Amino acid sequence: MAQSVGYLVAAADPLLLGILHDSTGSWTLPLVVLVALGAAMAAAGYGAGRNRLVRCSAR
């Protein structure tokens, strides 16, 4: 499921950024969107990859 959503987003992004470029007439806003999405993904990856101990309470 996650891979399907990832492929769907990856396939739609160039089209959506092209539409955004055509509507604004410059690359500034599409690049700002890419930087913001990259920062959000980096923050999520940092949170998901932190070293934590998960304890099971079902004993």
Side-chain angles (χ1 to χ4, degrees):
M1 183 70 180
Q3 188 174 5
S4 298
V5 172
Y7 275 116
L8 180 64
V9 170
D13 280 348
L15 176 66
L16 295 175
L17 289 175
I19 290 171
L20 189 58
H21 172 268
D22 285 344
S23 66
T24 61
S26 82
W27 283 106
T28 304
L29 188 58
L31 291 177
V32 168
V33 169
L34 283 177
V35 168
L37 289 174
M41 288 188 291
Y46 180 76
R50 68 183 186 268
N51 191 10
R52 296 186 356 166
L53 177 63
V54 179
R55 296 185 182 189
C56 181
S57 62
R59 287 187 184 193

